[in-house]
Amino acid sequence: MRNTPARPGRGLQPNALGTFNTIVMAVAGSAPAYSLAATSSVLVGTVGLGGPAALLYCAIPMLGIALAYRQLGRIDVNAGAGYSWVGRTLHPFLGFLSGWALVVAATLFMVAGSLPAGTMTLTVIDSRSADNTTLATLIGAGWFLLMLLVVLGGARLSARTQLLISGVELVILLLFAVVALVRGSTGTGAGAAHAFEWSWLGLGHFDGVSDFASGALIAAFYYWGWDVTGNLSEETRDSRRTAGLAGIVGVLTVFALVEVFAIAVNVILSADDIQRHSANVLTVLGEKVWPGVGGKLLVMAVMLSTVATLQTTLIQVTRSLFAMGRDRTMPAAFGRVHRSWNTPWVAVAAVGGVALVLILASLALGRVQRILGVAVQAIGLQIAVYYGLAGLAAVVAYRKLLLRSVSDFVLGGLWPLVGSLFMFWIFFEALGDFSRTALVLGLGGLAMGAVPMFWYRRRGSSYYRPAKLDASRTVQAEDSSGCADSATIVTDF
C-alpha cells in the first residue's frame, strides 16, 4: 500500500518573518566573521595570495544560484526548497539527493561551527585555555544546545535572537572593514606584510586549473547559508518575493565583507603569521589593525557569528527534514509540528542528538584547525552538489519563458546555468586535491542517502511521482486570476 503525504493540518507558523528579518537571516546564515576565522588559513594555504580572486570568481556564479532560488521560490513555496524544486523539475532521485546533501553538510557543520564557538569563548575569558580542544568542545556543545532551544522556540524567537547577535557582529565587521581599507590604502606601512596588488583579483596566483577549483570550492563555504531563506519560505510574509530578494542581498553583503577582509589579510599578515596562528587569523589581524582592543573585538564578532550561523544551519536542516517527513521520504515523525511553537520538534531533537555525538566524536581528530580543515572541504563538496542541482532546476522550470525578454534569458536562464555548471566543475576538479578524510566524509555522506531514498520509494512515497514544476503554467494562472505573490497556488506544498 502506498504512502500519501501528510494532510496540511497544523504546519509551520505562516507570516512569522518580514523582509528585514529574512535578510538578516540570509547574512547570518553565511556568517561572514565565522567564515573568515575558520576558513582564511585554509584558503591561503590552498591558493596563497589568490584568496581575493577565489572569493570574487566564486561570488559571480554564486549570485547565479541565488537568482535560481529566487526564480524557483516564486513558483513553489516549500520548506524543503531545493529538495522540492529539483525533485519536481529534474528527477525525484536528484531532488532527494539535493535535500540529503544539505542535511549532511549541515550536520557536519554542527562540528565545524561548535568548536570555534568554544575556542572563541575561551579566548575572550582566558586566552591561555584557548588551545584546550576538550574544553573548547564542551563549551561549543553548550552553545549548540542553547541555539537548539532557540530554534525549537519558533521562527519569531529565532529572528529576534538574530537581530541582536548579527547586529553586533556586523557593526564590528563594518568598523574593521573601514579601518582595514584605510590601512591598505597606505601601502606597506608599519607592520604591513605586502602592498596591495590588483593581481590578487586576477588568475595569476593559481597553480593550474585544479588549484583554482579547490580555492573556489573553499570560497563557496564563505557564502554558504544564505539559502536558509528558501527553507523559511513557509514562515515568511510575501515569500514569493521576499525569500529570493533576501538571498540575493545576503550574497552581495557577505561578498563585500569577506572580500575586504581577504585583501586585508594579504596586506597585513605574512605567510608566517597565518601559519603560526592558523586557528586565530582574525584575532591576529585585529591586533595589528587596532592594537590592544582589536583582537578582542574581532574574537567577539567571530563568537557571535558562529553562534548565529549554528542557529540558521539548524533551521535549514530541520526544515528540510520536516519537508521530507511530510512527504514520507524520511520517517513521518520528522513532519510533526509542536502545538505551541509551530516548529518540527522531532526533527530538531533528532538533529540535536546526532550532532552532539559527532561533536564529541570529533575529539579523536585532534587539533581544532585539523577538524575545521577536513569539515570545510567535505562541506564544500555537499554545497556544490545541491547548489548545482538548484541552478539546473531553475533553467528547466523556466525554459518556456526564457525568450520573452533579455532579462528573462540572462537572469532566469543563462546566469543560473553558469552558476550550476561552475558548481559541478569545481566539484569534480577539486576531488584530486582534497584529503582522503574529506572525500570519505563528503562522498560517503552523499552515498549514504541511497539507503533512505530507495527504502521510502519502495514503500510508495508519492514524492517519487511528482506534479512537474512548470513556471509558464504558474505565470499564466497568476496573470489570469490577478492573485498576489503571497497567494497560495497549486504548486505549493
Side-chain angles (χ1 to χ4, degrees):
M1 188 173 87
R2 71 180 181 88
N3 292 326
T4 55
R7 291 186 300 109
R10 177 176 293 277
L12 302 172
Q13 185 174 8
N15 303 320
L17 304 177
T19 302
F20 180 70
N21 285 334
T22 312
I23 291 174
V24 170
M25 285 290 192
V27 176
S30 293
Y34 164 78
S35 298
L36 287 162
T39 318
S40 290
S41 62
V42 181
L43 184 63
V44 171
T46 302
V47 297
L49 294 174
L55 290 168
L56 171 62
Y57 296 121
C58 186
I60 296 171
M62 186 64 72
L63 193 56
I65 302 302
L67 288 168
Y69 267 67
R70 183 194 67 169
Q71 296 290 84
L72 292 165
R74 287 176 58 195
I75 59 175
D76 184 18
V77 175
N78 193 296
Y83 155 80
S84 173
W85 303 331
V86 174
R88 296 181 62 186
T89 52
L90 303 182
H91 193 279
F93 284 176
L94 293 176
F96 184 87
L97 180 66
S98 178
W100 182 260
L102 189 152
V103 169
V104 173
T107 304
L108 289 174
F109 181 77
M110 302 309 168
V111 178
S114 297
L115 295 183
T119 300
M120 294 303 165
T121 302
L122 286 173
T123 302
V124 172
I125 298 172
D126 180 11
S127 59
R128 292 171 298 179
S129 304
D131 292 331
N132 188 325
T133 303
T134 302
L135 189 56
T137 301
L138 294 176
I139 294 175
W143 276 118
F144 171 76
L145 286 173
L146 179 60
M147 290 301 102
L148 197 73
L149 293 175
V150 172
V151 170
L152 190 61
R156 281 201 176 100
L157 177 60
S158 295
R160 290 167 185 164
T161 306
Q162 285 294 353
L163 280 175
L164 175 63
I165 296 176
S166 297
V168 175
E169 172 204 352
L170 289 178
V171 167
I172 295 174
L173 287 181
L174 287 172
L175 175 63
F176 270 87
V178 171
V179 175
L181 283 174
V182 172
R183 180 69 177 275
S185 66
T186 62
T188 55
H194 308 93
F196 170 76
E197 297 180 17
W198 286 106
S199 66
W200 294 346
L201 301 176
L203 300 174
H205 289 282
F206 297 108
D207 186 18
V209 173
S210 62
D211 189 51
F212 170 77
S214 298
L217 196 61
I218 293 169
F221 182 81
Y222 282 76
Y223 301 110
W224 177 53
W226 57 265
D227 50 303
V228 66
T229 59
N231 300 104
L232 284 167
S233 61
E234 293 183 29
E235 300 160 88
T236 304
R237 288 195 298 273
D238 192 14
S239 63
R240 297 184 190 284
R241 180 191 65 85
T242 302
L245 172 64
I248 292 171
V249 173
V251 171
L252 292 174
T253 302
V254 171
F255 165 70
L257 284 170
V258 299
E259 187 73 2
V260 168
F261 273 88
I263 292 172
V265 167
N266 280 3
V267 169
I268 297 171
L269 300 183
S270 66
D272 185 56
D273 287 331
I274 295 169
Q275 185 176 6
R276 284 189 295 112
H277 305 283
S278 58
N280 298 294
V281 168
L282 220 56
T283 307
V284 178
L285 179 67
E287 287 291 346
K288 293 205 173 189
V289 170
W290 193 348
V293 297
K296 290 288 185 183
L297 279 176
L298 279 186
V299 167
M300 182 69 69
V302 173
M303 184 181 75
L304 292 174
S305 179
T306 307
V307 171
T309 198
L310 276 175
Q311 184 198 89
T312 57
T313 307
L314 278 166
I315 289 173
Q316 280 195 280
V317 67
T318 55
R319 269 41 174 194
S320 296
L321 288 174
F322 165 76
M324 291 174 163
R326 183 171 61 193
D327 291 343
R328 303 294 200 269
T329 58
M330 290 286 276
F334 290 159
R336 293 179 187 168
V337 174
H338 194 278
R339 288 186 173 274
S340 301
W341 302 324
N342 294 99
T343 51
W345 66 273
V346 177
V348 172
V351 169
V354 172
L356 280 175
V357 170
L358 289 178
I359 290 170
L360 296 177
S362 69
L363 288 170
L365 290 176
R367 295 175 63 246
V368 170
Q369 192 57 29
R370 169 172 163 72
I371 297 169
L372 290 180
V374 170
V376 166
Q377 290 179 339
I379 291 170
L381 295 173
Q382 310 287 341
I383 294 169
V385 168
Y386 85 83
Y387 277 172
L389 288 173
L392 283 181
V395 176
V396 172
Y398 279 83
R399 64 190 182 279
K400 298 177 183 177
L401 303 176
L402 296 181
L403 299 181
R404 293 194 311 177
S405 68
V406 174
S407 175
D408 285 331
F409 178 75
V410 173
L411 301 182
L414 181 60
W415 207 338
L417 179 61
V418 169
S420 173
L421 295 178
F422 182 84
M423 292 297 161
F424 288 132
W425 176 72
I426 61 176
F427 174 87
F428 288 109
E429 281 291 337
L431 291 179
D433 287 349
F434 281 3
S435 68
R436 181 177 299 178
T437 305
L439 292 177
V440 169
L441 286 174
L443 301 181
L446 279 175
M448 287 173 59
V451 176
M453 182 172 69
F454 287 112
W455 172 261
Y456 284 99
R457 182 184 184 277
R458 186 176 181 182
R459 296 190 65 183
S461 169
S462 59
Y463 171 82
Y464 294 101
R465 294 182 300 279
K468 289 295 183 181
L469 201 58
D470 187 341
S472 62
R473 291 202 305 263
T474 305
V475 171
Q476 289 173 2
E478 289 179 337
D479 289 344
S480 62
S481 64
C483 66
D485 280 348
S486 58
T488 300
I489 55 178
V490 292
T491 55
D492 292 339
F493 69 91

mmCIF file of all heavy atoms in Angstrom, residues 364-395:
data_model
loop_
_atom_site.group_PDB
_atom_site.id
_atom_site.type_symbol
_atom_site.label_atom_id
_atom_site.label_comp_id
_atom_site.label_asym_id
_atom_site.label_seq_id
_atom_site.Cartn_x
_atom_site.Cartn_y
_atom_site.Cartn_z
ATOM 1 N N ALA A 364 38.534 12.901 18.577
ATOM 2 C CA ALA A 364 39.507 11.909 18.109
ATOM 3 C C ALA A 364 40.366 12.439 16.966
ATOM 4 O O ALA A 364 41.441 11.891 16.687
ATOM 5 C CB ALA A 364 38.765 10.647 17.646
ATOM 6 N N LEU A 365 39.913 13.528 16.291
ATOM 7 C CA LEU A 365 40.683 14.080 15.173
ATOM 8 C C LEU A 365 41.808 15.002 15.614
ATOM 9 O O LEU A 365 42.627 15.423 14.810
ATOM 10 C CB LEU A 365 39.743 14.844 14.223
ATOM 11 C CG LEU A 365 38.770 13.991 13.409
ATOM 12 C CD1 LEU A 365 37.847 14.876 12.599
ATOM 13 C CD2 LEU A 365 39.528 13.033 12.494
ATOM 14 N N GLY A 366 41.821 15.353 16.908
ATOM 15 C CA GLY A 366 42.928 16.164 17.410
ATOM 16 C C GLY A 366 42.654 17.652 17.394
ATOM 17 O O GLY A 366 41.599 18.093 17.826
ATOM 18 N N ARG A 367 43.593 18.438 16.872
ATOM 19 C CA ARG A 367 43.536 19.892 16.943
ATOM 20 C C ARG A 367 42.328 20.455 16.210
ATOM 21 O O ARG A 367 41.872 19.924 15.206
ATOM 22 C CB ARG A 367 44.815 20.508 16.360
ATOM 23 C CG ARG A 367 46.063 20.178 17.144
ATOM 24 C CD ARG A 367 47.301 20.711 16.461
ATOM 25 N NE ARG A 367 47.263 22.172 16.386
ATOM 26 C CZ ARG A 367 47.173 22.833 15.239
ATOM 27 N NH1 ARG A 367 47.086 22.185 14.100
ATOM 28 N NH2 ARG A 367 47.159 24.151 15.246
ATOM 29 N N VAL A 368 41.836 21.589 16.743
ATOM 30 C CA VAL A 368 40.655 22.232 16.176
ATOM 31 C C VAL A 368 40.867 22.553 14.701
ATOM 32 O O VAL A 368 39.978 22.346 13.867
ATOM 33 C CB VAL A 368 40.310 23.513 16.969
ATOM 34 C CG1 VAL A 368 39.241 24.331 16.248
ATOM 35 C CG2 VAL A 368 39.843 23.155 18.377
ATOM 36 N N GLN A 369 42.055 23.083 14.345
ATOM 37 C CA GLN A 369 42.277 23.509 12.968
ATOM 38 C C GLN A 369 42.239 22.338 11.996
ATOM 39 O O GLN A 369 41.759 22.468 10.872
ATOM 40 C CB GLN A 369 43.613 24.247 12.850
ATOM 41 C CG GLN A 369 43.802 24.976 11.529
ATOM 42 C CD GLN A 369 42.699 25.980 11.251
ATOM 43 O OE1 GLN A 369 42.123 26.532 12.200
ATOM 44 N NE2 GLN A 369 42.393 26.216 9.994
ATOM 45 N N ARG A 370 42.706 21.170 12.423
ATOM 46 C CA ARG A 370 42.631 19.985 11.553
ATOM 47 C C ARG A 370 41.177 19.591 11.337
ATOM 48 O O ARG A 370 40.768 19.258 10.217
ATOM 49 C CB ARG A 370 43.413 18.824 12.175
ATOM 50 C CG ARG A 370 43.158 17.492 11.475
ATOM 51 C CD ARG A 370 44.063 16.385 11.958
ATOM 52 N NE ARG A 370 43.571 15.072 11.589
ATOM 53 C CZ ARG A 370 43.574 14.583 10.363
ATOM 54 N NH1 ARG A 370 44.040 15.294 9.366
ATOM 55 N NH2 ARG A 370 43.108 13.376 10.111
ATOM 56 N N ILE A 371 40.383 19.641 12.393
ATOM 57 C CA ILE A 371 38.965 19.302 12.283
ATOM 58 C C ILE A 371 38.274 20.257 11.320
ATOM 59 O O ILE A 371 37.485 19.854 10.458
ATOM 60 C CB ILE A 371 38.297 19.355 13.680
ATOM 61 C CG1 ILE A 371 38.927 18.302 14.610
ATOM 62 C CG2 ILE A 371 36.793 19.111 13.562
ATOM 63 C CD1 ILE A 371 38.519 18.443 16.060
ATOM 64 N N LEU A 372 38.571 21.558 11.460
ATOM 65 C CA LEU A 372 37.939 22.559 10.603
ATOM 66 C C LEU A 372 38.332 22.360 9.142
ATOM 67 O O LEU A 372 37.492 22.465 8.242
ATOM 68 C CB LEU A 372 38.332 23.965 11.051
ATOM 69 C CG LEU A 372 37.751 24.453 12.382
ATOM 70 C CD1 LEU A 372 38.237 25.866 12.676
ATOM 71 C CD2 LEU A 372 36.229 24.419 12.337
ATOM 72 N N GLY A 373 39.610 22.086 8.885
ATOM 73 C CA GLY A 373 40.069 21.908 7.515
ATOM 74 C C GLY A 373 39.349 20.760 6.819
ATOM 75 O O GLY A 373 38.893 20.894 5.679
ATOM 76 N N VAL A 374 39.220 19.639 7.498
ATOM 77 C CA VAL A 374 38.531 18.477 6.932
ATOM 78 C C VAL A 374 37.051 18.786 6.723
ATOM 79 O O VAL A 374 36.479 18.473 5.665
ATOM 80 C CB VAL A 374 38.699 17.256 7.867
ATOM 81 C CG1 VAL A 374 37.785 16.123 7.420
ATOM 82 C CG2 VAL A 374 40.149 16.798 7.879
ATOM 83 N N ALA A 375 36.421 19.404 7.718
ATOM 84 C CA ALA A 375 34.992 19.698 7.631
ATOM 85 C C ALA A 375 34.685 20.669 6.502
ATOM 86 O O ALA A 375 33.711 20.497 5.760
ATOM 87 C CB ALA A 375 34.483 20.252 8.963
ATOM 88 N N VAL A 376 35.500 21.714 6.348
ATOM 89 C CA VAL A 376 35.268 22.709 5.296
ATOM 90 C C VAL A 376 35.336 22.064 3.915
ATOM 91 O O VAL A 376 34.503 22.324 3.040
ATOM 92 C CB VAL A 376 36.294 23.862 5.407
ATOM 93 C CG1 VAL A 376 36.285 24.711 4.143
ATOM 94 C CG2 VAL A 376 35.982 24.729 6.615
ATOM 95 N N GLN A 377 36.318 21.192 3.697
ATOM 96 C CA GLN A 377 36.444 20.531 2.401
ATOM 97 C C GLN A 377 35.254 19.606 2.132
ATOM 98 O O GLN A 377 34.689 19.612 1.032
ATOM 99 C CB GLN A 377 37.744 19.738 2.347
ATOM 100 C CG GLN A 377 38.982 20.617 2.293
ATOM 101 C CD GLN A 377 40.268 19.804 2.271
ATOM 102 O OE1 GLN A 377 40.300 18.644 2.674
ATOM 103 N NE2 GLN A 377 41.343 20.409 1.800
ATOM 104 N N ALA A 378 34.863 18.822 3.124
ATOM 105 C CA ALA A 378 33.731 17.900 2.943
ATOM 106 C C ALA A 378 32.434 18.659 2.694
ATOM 107 O O ALA A 378 31.634 18.293 1.832
ATOM 108 C CB ALA A 378 33.588 17.005 4.179
ATOM 109 N N ILE A 379 32.212 19.745 3.446
ATOM 110 C CA ILE A 379 31.002 20.548 3.273
ATOM 111 C C ILE A 379 31.002 21.207 1.899
ATOM 112 O O ILE A 379 29.956 21.326 1.247
ATOM 113 C CB ILE A 379 30.891 21.606 4.393
ATOM 114 C CG1 ILE A 379 30.602 20.906 5.734
ATOM 115 C CG2 ILE A 379 29.789 22.622 4.094
ATOM 116 C CD1 ILE A 379 30.704 21.832 6.935
ATOM 117 N N GLY A 380 32.187 21.635 1.427
ATOM 118 C CA GLY A 380 32.270 22.243 0.103
ATOM 119 C C GLY A 380 31.754 21.316 -0.982
ATOM 120 O O GLY A 380 31.072 21.760 -1.923
ATOM 121 N N LEU A 381 32.046 20.030 -0.874
ATOM 122 C CA LEU A 381 31.541 19.069 -1.854
ATOM 123 C C LEU A 381 30.021 18.975 -1.820
ATOM 124 O O LEU A 381 29.362 18.934 -2.870
ATOM 125 C CB LEU A 381 32.157 17.692 -1.591
ATOM 126 C CG LEU A 381 33.672 17.573 -1.784
ATOM 127 C CD1 LEU A 381 34.162 16.201 -1.316
ATOM 128 C CD2 LEU A 381 34.061 17.812 -3.234
ATOM 129 N N GLN A 382 29.445 18.946 -0.625
ATOM 130 C CA GLN A 382 27.992 18.882 -0.490
ATOM 131 C C GLN A 382 27.331 20.132 -1.068
ATOM 132 O O GLN A 382 26.314 20.062 -1.756
ATOM 133 C CB GLN A 382 27.610 18.744 0.994
ATOM 134 C CG GLN A 382 28.314 17.660 1.766
ATOM 135 C CD GLN A 382 27.826 16.285 1.404
ATOM 136 O OE1 GLN A 382 26.750 16.127 0.843
ATOM 137 N NE2 GLN A 382 28.614 15.274 1.715
ATOM 138 N N ILE A 383 27.919 21.304 -0.772
ATOM 139 C CA ILE A 383 27.368 22.566 -1.250
ATOM 140 C C ILE A 383 27.325 22.585 -2.773
ATOM 141 O O ILE A 383 26.316 22.974 -3.388
ATOM 142 C CB ILE A 383 28.227 23.746 -0.746
ATOM 143 C CG1 ILE A 383 28.139 23.872 0.767
ATOM 144 C CG2 ILE A 383 27.779 25.058 -1.400
ATOM 145 C CD1 ILE A 383 29.165 24.844 1.352
ATOM 146 N N ALA A 384 28.426 22.173 -3.398
ATOM 147 C CA ALA A 384 28.498 22.199 -4.862
ATOM 148 C C ALA A 384 27.404 21.342 -5.481
ATOM 149 O O ALA A 384 26.815 21.714 -6.510
ATOM 150 C CB ALA A 384 29.877 21.720 -5.319
ATOM 151 N N VAL A 385 27.093 20.213 -4.866
ATOM 152 C CA VAL A 385 26.079 19.312 -5.414
ATOM 153 C C VAL A 385 24.697 19.955 -5.356
ATOM 154 O O VAL A 385 23.998 20.061 -6.381
ATOM 155 C CB VAL A 385 26.072 17.973 -4.648
ATOM 156 C CG1 VAL A 385 24.833 17.154 -5.007
ATOM 157 C CG2 VAL A 385 27.334 17.177 -4.969
ATOM 158 N N TYR A 386 24.271 20.418 -4.183
ATOM 159 C CA TYR A 386 22.880 20.861 -4.128
ATOM 160 C C TYR A 386 22.668 22.255 -4.699
ATOM 161 O O TYR A 386 21.580 22.565 -5.210
ATOM 162 C CB TYR A 386 22.289 20.691 -2.713
ATOM 163 C CG TYR A 386 22.506 21.763 -1.692
ATOM 164 C CD1 TYR A 386 21.691 22.883 -1.655
ATOM 165 C CD2 TYR A 386 23.460 21.632 -0.678
ATOM 166 C CE1 TYR A 386 21.834 23.845 -0.667
ATOM 167 C CE2 TYR A 386 23.611 22.579 0.296
ATOM 168 C CZ TYR A 386 22.796 23.682 0.306
ATOM 169 O OH TYR A 386 22.938 24.638 1.303
ATOM 170 N N TYR A 387 23.693 23.095 -4.702
ATOM 171 C CA TYR A 387 23.573 24.375 -5.410
ATOM 172 C C TYR A 387 23.541 24.145 -6.929
ATOM 173 O O TYR A 387 22.778 24.790 -7.649
ATOM 174 C CB TYR A 387 24.756 25.286 -5.067
ATOM 175 C CG TYR A 387 24.606 26.056 -3.776
ATOM 176 C CD1 TYR A 387 25.673 26.787 -3.255
ATOM 177 C CD2 TYR A 387 23.413 26.065 -3.059
ATOM 178 C CE1 TYR A 387 25.560 27.510 -2.072
ATOM 179 C CE2 TYR A 387 23.291 26.775 -1.873
ATOM 180 C CZ TYR A 387 24.370 27.494 -1.382
ATOM 181 O OH TYR A 387 24.255 28.202 -0.212
ATOM 182 N N GLY A 388 24.395 23.248 -7.408
ATOM 183 C CA GLY A 388 24.420 22.967 -8.840
ATOM 184 C C GLY A 388 23.098 22.428 -9.345
ATOM 185 O O GLY A 388 22.608 22.820 -10.415
ATOM 186 N N LEU A 389 22.480 21.532 -8.583
ATOM 187 C CA LEU A 389 21.185 20.975 -8.977
ATOM 188 C C LEU A 389 20.101 22.045 -8.986
ATOM 189 O O LEU A 389 19.217 22.057 -9.859
ATOM 190 C CB LEU A 389 20.802 19.838 -8.029
ATOM 191 C CG LEU A 389 21.622 18.540 -8.189
ATOM 192 C CD1 LEU A 389 21.275 17.554 -7.079
ATOM 193 C CD2 LEU A 389 21.387 17.914 -9.555
ATOM 194 N N ALA A 390 20.138 22.970 -8.027
ATOM 195 C CA ALA A 390 19.136 24.046 -7.970
ATOM 196 C C ALA A 390 19.245 24.950 -9.193
ATOM 197 O O ALA A 390 18.230 25.389 -9.751
ATOM 198 C CB ALA A 390 19.306 24.860 -6.689
ATOM 199 N N GLY A 391 20.466 25.250 -9.622
ATOM 200 C CA GLY A 391 20.642 26.076 -10.812
ATOM 201 C C GLY A 391 20.036 25.429 -12.046
ATOM 202 O O GLY A 391 19.344 26.091 -12.841
ATOM 203 N N LEU A 392 20.270 24.131 -12.222
ATOM 204 C CA LEU A 392 19.678 23.418 -13.355
ATOM 205 C C LEU A 392 18.155 23.388 -13.251
ATOM 206 O O LEU A 392 17.451 23.533 -14.259
ATOM 207 C CB LEU A 392 20.212 21.982 -13.406
ATOM 208 C CG LEU A 392 21.619 21.753 -13.953
ATOM 209 C CD1 LEU A 392 21.949 20.268 -13.938
ATOM 210 C CD2 LEU A 392 21.748 22.306 -15.371
ATOM 211 N N ALA A 393 17.640 23.198 -12.046
ATOM 212 C CA ALA A 393 16.192 23.136 -11.856
ATOM 213 C C ALA A 393 15.513 24.426 -12.283
ATOM 214 O O ALA A 393 14.433 24.410 -12.888
ATOM 215 C CB ALA A 393 15.878 22.836 -10.380
ATOM 216 N N ALA A 394 16.137 25.567 -11.993
ATOM 217 C CA ALA A 394 15.554 26.854 -12.372
ATOM 218 C C ALA A 394 15.465 26.985 -13.889
ATOM 219 O O ALA A 394 14.466 27.464 -14.433
ATOM 220 C CB ALA A 394 16.376 27.998 -11.782
ATOM 221 N N VAL A 395 16.518 26.572 -14.578
ATOM 222 C CA VAL A 395 16.519 26.664 -16.036
ATOM 223 C C VAL A 395 15.425 25.783 -16.625
ATOM 224 O O VAL A 395 14.692 26.194 -17.549
ATOM 225 C CB VAL A 395 17.895 26.268 -16.602
ATOM 226 C CG1 VAL A 395 17.872 26.264 -18.130
ATOM 227 C CG2 VAL A 395 18.973 27.219 -16.096
#
